[in-house]
Amino acid sequence: MTSATFPTTGLFVTASLLVMTPACAQAGTAAGNESSAVSQLLLNELIAANGVPGMGAAVWRDGEIIWAGSAGVRDVERQLPVDQGTIFRLASVSKLITATAVARLAQDGQIDLDAPIATILPYLHAPWPTITARQLASHTAGLPHYQEIDGDRGGVRYPDSASAVRIFSDRALLFQPGERYSYSSWGYTLLGALIEQKAGRPFFDYAASVVTSGLAVTTDITDSGDPAASHAYEFVEHIARRAAPHDYSYTWGGGGLAATPTALAQLGGRMLRNEIVSAETFAAMLRPATLADGNSVEDEDYRVGLGWRTGTDRDGARIAHHAGVTSGARSTLLLWPDQDTAVSLLSNAVWVSAIEQSAQMIAAPFRPTPESLIRTNCPVDARNYAGQFGDVAVHGTIIFAMTNGVCTGTMALDLPIAAYVNGRPQHEVTSLRLIGIDQWGGLSRAGLVTPIGIYDLRSEGGGRFRTIFNATRQLVITISSD
C-alpha cells in the first residue's frame, strides 16, 4: 500500500462495473459514463443492505440531469421494477416546494412574510399572538407538530387547506412566536392556506404552475391506482409490508407531494439557476432565520432558513437540503449552491437512515475529488481490521478485490458496530460493503454501505481509515494482512 496527496480531479472507472441482479435491476441512465456505474453500484448495495423494496436517485449538474438510477421494485407483490418514471412520496421534502411558493408570492409583492397571518386569513380566529409566514416557514411560530390526537389524520379527505387548518386552529401554541425552534408540519398546512388565499386557487394548482411547472411532481397518488406510483411500504419485523392507505390532504404542503427522483433533482437545479425565484430571493431563503433574541435558528448540525436547512459537507462545501419521512417514504433533496449541483434520493419505505449522507455519497462520483484525500492502493492483500468505534475497541475480518477497475470490499461486523447499524426496523446485516470512489481504482475514499445509509470512509495513510457517523461517533480502523 502506498500513499501520497493528489489534486482535485474527476473519477474514471470501467463502465462495465454495473452488474444487475434481480434484487437491484435497473442501470443508471443519462451520462452513461464510469461515474454512473459507481453511483448505481452504491444504490444497488444500499438497497441490498437496508431491504427497502425500491429506491431512485438522480444528479443534476451544470444545467442538466447527468445521471439517474433506480433499484428494486415499486410493487413487491407483482415484482414491478422501479424505473425512471416511478413516482415516490416526498414526505417533508414537500416543504421546500411550499416554502418556494411562499417566497415567490413575496417576491411578486402578493404577500408580506412578516405580516400577521390573521390579516391574510379572515376566517382564522385562533387564540394566538401574532404569527408570521416567515416564522411558520422556519418552524419558530410555536405551532405544535402532529400530536396523539392526530393519530387518524390520514383517514379524512379535506377539500382545501382552510378546512385542514380547522384541525389545529384551536390548539395552544408551545411557546411565544419567535422564542425558539420547534418543527411543525401543521405550520406548513397553514402556509398552504396562505398560498390559497393570496393566489386565489388551490395550493397545488399554484405550486404546479409557478414552482414545478413541467416536472413530474404531483400530490400523493400512492393509493390511486396510477401505474407510475410506487406502492408504500413499512417494515414489520425487518420485512417490508404494504402500508395502509393514507390521505395527505390535511397537509399537501407539509408532506403530501410526490415526484420522480429526476423531477426532484431538476427542481433543485431550477432553484440553483434562479428559474423559479430570483438569486436575491433564493439567497434570502438560505439565510438563517433569527429568533427574538437575535440568535440564528439552528437544529442538530444545520441552520434553518425559509424552508431550507443549510450547513457544510465534510470538505467544507456549502450545502442546502431537506429530508422527509412518512409512511412509505424516506426522501431528500440536497444542493451544493456554489458547485451548481443537486442530488435527490427517494425510497418507497419508511426506514431509519442518514439519508442526507447517503445522497452525498451517491453524488460523490460526479463531484470534484477532495484535495485532502490521500492516494491509497486497493488493499487486496488485507485480511483483518482493528480499531475503535467511538470509545470501544473493534476488530474483524475484511477482504478486498478489484472488480472491473473498482476497489470493493466486505467487512465482517464486530458486535459494537453491529449494534449500531442494526436494531432498526429495516434489514439487519452481518457484514458491510465498501465501494471505492477513487480515480485510480484504489481506496483513497469509499462508500461504507450500511442498513442505515452510506458513509464516507477515507484513508489517512499507513493502512488507517476513518468514517464519521455523526458528531459524536467515528469508526477508525487499521487494515492489515496479518
Side-chain angles (χ1 to χ4, degrees):
M1 185 180 300
T2 62
S3 64
T5 58
F6 60 94
T8 300
T9 185
L11 172 70
F12 298 94
V13 294
T14 304
S16 60
L17 165 68
L18 182 60
V19 179
M20 295 179 285
T21 68
C24 308
Q26 286 73 52
T29 61
N33 59 21
E34 295 83 356
S35 297
S36 298
V38 176
S39 289
Q40 183 65 44
L41 183 55
L42 287 165
L43 187 63
N44 290 351
E45 292 291 353
L46 179 58
I47 206 171
N50 63 23
V52 171
M55 297 186 72
V59 177
W60 180 99
R61 189 183 68 197
D62 298 334
E64 63 180 345
I65 295 292
I66 57 173
W67 173 78
S70 52
V73 295
R74 66 182 190 272
D75 184 326
V76 171
E77 292 75 15
R78 294 189 291 169
Q79 286 295 290
L80 299 178
V82 173
D83 57 33
Q84 299 312 309
T86 299
I87 295 174
F88 296 85
R89 285 176 173 166
L90 294 182
S92 285
V93 175
S94 304
K95 291 180 173 68
L96 295 179
I97 295 171
T98 305
T100 303
V102 170
R104 176 62 181 269
L105 284 170
Q107 178 180 294
D108 292 344
Q110 294 182 263
I111 191 172
D112 181 348
L113 295 176
D114 299 306
I117 60 171
T119 65
I120 303 173
L121 300 178
Y123 57 80
L124 186 66
H125 302 292
W128 302 330
T130 298
I131 291 174
T132 69
R134 191 184 303 278
Q135 290 169 335
L136 291 170
S138 60
H139 304 282
T140 60
L143 279 177
H145 190 49
Y146 304 135
Q147 298 171 308
E148 187 174 351
I149 195 174
D150 301 316
D152 62 349
R153 63 187 181 276
V156 177
R157 185 72 171 186
Y158 295 92
D160 50 35
S161 294
S163 300
V165 166
R166 297 189 184 99
I167 300 172
F168 57 88
S169 61
D170 61 348
R171 299 184 190 178
L173 298 184
L174 302 178
F175 49 82
Q176 285 292 310
E179 183 178 281
R180 57 188 174 88
Y181 169 92
S182 183
Y183 188 83
S184 172
S185 286
W186 285 136
Y188 272 74
T189 299
L190 193 49
L191 284 176
L194 292 175
I195 292 167
E196 288 189 348
Q197 184 70 23
K198 298 306 293 187
R201 47 180 159 160
F203 159 75
F204 189 68
D205 283 2
Y206 178 77
S209 64
V210 175
V211 180
T212 65
S213 177
L215 298 180
V217 179
T218 183
T219 53
D220 179 53
I221 56 173
T222 299
D223 302 313
S224 69
D226 191 309
S230 174
H231 289 309
Y233 296 91
E234 295 180 323
F235 282 99
V236 179
E237 296 182 349
H238 310 299
I239 298 174
R241 306 292 191 191
R242 281 283 291 272
H246 193 101
D247 190 312
Y248 285 91
S249 58
Y250 60 90
T251 184
W252 291 129
L257 303 185
T260 65
T262 296
L264 187 60
Q266 287 174 316
L267 176 66
R270 288 184 180 183
M271 295 299 293
L272 292 172
R273 288 298 175 95
N274 309 313
E275 295 175 2
I276 305 172
V277 296
S278 68
E280 293 77 13
T281 296
F282 186 43
M285 293 180 73
L286 299 186
R287 191 175 302 127
T290 55
L291 298 171
D293 62 7
N295 288 322
S296 296
V297 180
E298 299 181 0
D299 188 49
E300 298 179 359
D301 61 347
Y302 54 80
R303 293 185 172 185
V304 181
L306 197 77
W308 290 91
R309 301 165 175 177
T310 60
T312 56
D313 66 14
R314 184 170 175 177
D315 299 298
R318 192 164 61 108
I319 57 174
H321 57 92
H322 205 296
V325 58
T326 192
S327 174
R330 192 75 173 94
S331 58
T332 193
L333 173 63
L334 187 145
L335 316 179
W336 285 269
D338 302 321
Q339 298 179 358
D340 210 28
T341 302
V343 59
S344 65
L345 180 60
L346 302 177
S347 56
N348 61 6
V350 55
W351 53 295
V352 178
S353 73
I355 197 161
E356 294 97 333
Q357 291 192 46
S358 300
Q360 290 184 52
M361 294 308 296
I362 284 174
F366 297 97
R367 297 187 58 244
T369 300
E371 294 182 1
S372 61
L373 288 190
I374 298 174
R375 182 173 177 175
T376 302
N377 293 336
C378 186
V380 291
D381 59 344
R383 294 294 178 269
N384 301 290
Y385 72 89
Q388 296 285 129
F389 183 59
D391 57 0
V392 179
V394 293
H395 67 278
T397 59
I398 191 167
I399 58 172
F400 289 89
M402 291 298 298
T403 306
N404 296 315
V406 175
C407 182
T408 62
T410 302
M411 172 182 175
L413 286 182
D414 200 359
L415 285 177
I417 309 173
Y420 184 78
V421 301
N422 291 326
R424 319 298 171 108
Q426 61 259 25
H427 273 189
E428 297 190 344
V429 297
T430 58
S431 62
L432 302 180
R433 290 284 287 158
L434 298 95
I435 306 300
I437 305 172
D438 186 319
Q439 70 171 125
W440 292 280
L443 200 67
S444 306
R445 184 186 191 189
L448 180 65
V449 186
T450 80
I452 56 176
I454 308 173
Y455 293 90
D456 192 347
L457 178 136
R458 298 191 182 187
S459 172
E460 297 185 338
R464 180 183 170 99
F465 297 84
R466 183 182 302 270
T467 300
I468 300 173
F469 281 84
N470 54 46
T472 61
R473 189 183 299 270
Q474 299 185 22
L475 172 66
V476 182
I477 59 172
T478 298
I479 295 173
S480 69
S481 57
D482 298 336

